[in-house]
Amino acid sequence: MADPAVVSGGSLNAGVRGGAGKAASSPAENYYLARRRTLQVVVSALLTECGFESAEKAAVETLTEMLQSYITEIGRCAKAYCEHTARSVPTLSDTVVTLIEMGFNVNTLPVYAKRSQRMVITAPPVTNAPVTPKALSAGQKRTHPPHIPGHFPEFPDPHTYIKTPTFREPVSDYQVVREKAATQRRDVERALTRFMAKTGETQSLFKDDITAFPLIAARPIAIPYLSALLPSELELQSLEETDSSEQDDQTDGENATGNVITDDPGADKENSMLPPSGVVPSAKASEENMIDNPYLRPVKKPKVRRKK
């Protein structure tokens, strides 16, 4: 051990500080660096027990690599003896057989463990795992089965491998549907009111500030009762449909019975009252044109068709 360990100005922990400066990104690299630092601390403690005060970084790295290879070989052989006897977990007997196979005297272990000048290495500080925000956690994480070592990375969140629906079921509750319809109607009314207030004329409650509480200006109508007397478009459409259906029924019935339709003689009398030119006087025509209310116009009696 005196050959690789050369006295220098550096301390025994130089290799430990050199390895700590290396940053790791993946969990496997973090585990490898932590194991390497632990072995470097053990090598430094053994050198101190042997009487060395300092060592070069290359010497510490060489001894660390030798110790790591020795421990890896012990684990590999113990695992092989364990599997040879149809077991999955190595026991103490497998480790003893491995040490004997590698040429180590097992009887010297109790004496070496009870040595007086040994150095006790404190456990490394345990770092708290980063707390995952509650908003990102979904479900319950799975723990490692017995056949997976504990230092392996944990399972990801369940939402990464569990199927989650991306749609919502339609709400069919009567109260919710009514509230949604009322909300939409109120939003539409507000939007239309704001649009009319911005595009049309407005009136303000306060004379000083015109922009405060604007109201839609009312447009005066010359004949206010006209909109109430005139039929709406739906009523006119329904009347036209009923008239057309009645006319179709009458024509179908007349064609089926074969009756001949003649004009009403009363109509001839009305026609005889007209002037010979067949033109209505201009005075009467102007009076009819002046009446805009359809309810005040003279009634036109329909022609009555008699069957012979």
Side-chain angles (χ1 to χ4, degrees):
M1 187 178 295
D3 293 337
V6 181
V7 178
S8 63
S11 63
L12 293 176
N13 297 327
V16 180
R17 291 196 303 268
K22 191 176 182 180
S25 58
S26 63
E29 293 179 359
N30 290 332
Y31 172 71
Y32 173 77
L33 292 177
R35 181 183 60 186
R36 192 78 175 181
R37 293 191 196 101
T38 305
L39 292 177
Q40 288 175 353
V41 172
V42 172
V43 170
S44 301
L46 292 175
L47 292 176
T48 304
E49 290 181 7
C50 294
F52 292 95
E53 296 180 356
S54 61
E56 291 182 355
K57 181 178 178 182
V60 176
E61 289 291 338
T62 303
L63 293 175
T64 303
E65 189 67 28
M66 293 171 61
L67 181 61
Q68 181 177 351
S69 301
Y70 190 77
I71 295 175
T72 303
E73 185 65 19
I74 292 174
R76 187 186 64 80
C77 294
K79 184 67 174 176
Y81 285 119
C82 170
E83 293 177 350
H84 184 68
T85 55
R87 286 181 287 108
S88 59
V89 180
T91 58
L92 180 59
S93 59
D94 297 329
T95 307
V96 172
V97 173
T98 300
L99 293 174
I100 294 172
E101 183 70 22
M102 296 177 66
F104 186 81
N105 188 5
V106 185
N107 297 325
T108 59
L109 283 176
V111 179
Y112 181 77
K114 295 179 181 179
R115 66 189 185 278
S116 60
Q117 72 275 14
R118 64 176 182 175
M119 295 183 62
V120 180
I121 302 174
T122 59
V126 179
T127 58
N128 297 327
V131 180
T132 306
K134 294 182 179 180
L136 301 179
S137 61
Q140 188 175 3
K141 287 188 177 181
R142 294 175 54 189
T143 57
H144 289 302
H147 62 277
I148 298 180
H151 62 270
F152 276 31
E154 297 180 355
F155 284 99
D157 292 336
H159 73 273
T160 58
Y161 56 89
I162 294 177
K163 180 180 179 182
T164 54
T166 57
F167 60 89
R168 295 182 180 179
E169 296 182 358
V171 181
S172 58
D173 190 7
Y174 176 77
Q175 182 179 358
V176 177
V177 173
R178 292 288 296 174
E179 290 179 356
K180 187 175 181 181
T183 304
Q184 292 179 352
R185 188 180 304 169
R186 183 176 64 251
D187 295 342
V188 171
E189 290 178 357
R190 288 179 179 176
L192 290 176
T193 304
R194 291 174 182 175
F195 177 76
M196 293 181 65
K198 289 181 179 180
T199 56
E201 297 180 0
T202 57
Q203 296 176 354
S204 179
L205 296 176
F206 305 96
K207 297 181 179 180
D208 300 336
D209 191 358
I210 302 176
T211 59
F213 299 99
L215 301 176
I216 299 174
R219 298 179 180 178
I221 303 175
I223 307 176
Y225 61 85
L226 187 60
S227 59
L229 296 176
L230 291 176
S232 61
E233 295 180 359
L234 295 176
E235 293 178 356
L236 291 175
Q237 186 177 1
S238 61
L239 289 174
E240 291 177 358
E241 291 177 356
T242 53
D243 293 342
S244 61
S245 60
E246 290 178 358
Q247 290 179 3
D248 294 339
D249 294 339
Q250 286 182 358
T251 52
D252 293 339
E254 291 173 0
N255 294 333
T257 54
N259 296 329
V260 180
I261 301 172
T262 58
D263 294 335
D264 187 9
D268 297 338
K269 292 181 180 180
E270 291 178 359
N271 293 331
S272 62
M273 296 296 291
L274 295 173
S277 61
V279 180
V280 182
S282 59
K284 293 183 179 180
S286 62
E287 289 179 1
E288 291 181 358
N289 293 333
M290 289 177 64
I291 299 175
D292 294 334
N293 193 344
Y295 296 96
L296 300 179
R297 293 176 183 174
V299 180
K300 296 181 179 179
K301 295 182 179 180
K303 296 181 180 180
V304 181
R305 299 178 180 178
R306 297 180 181 180
K307 298 180 180 180
K308 293 183 179 180

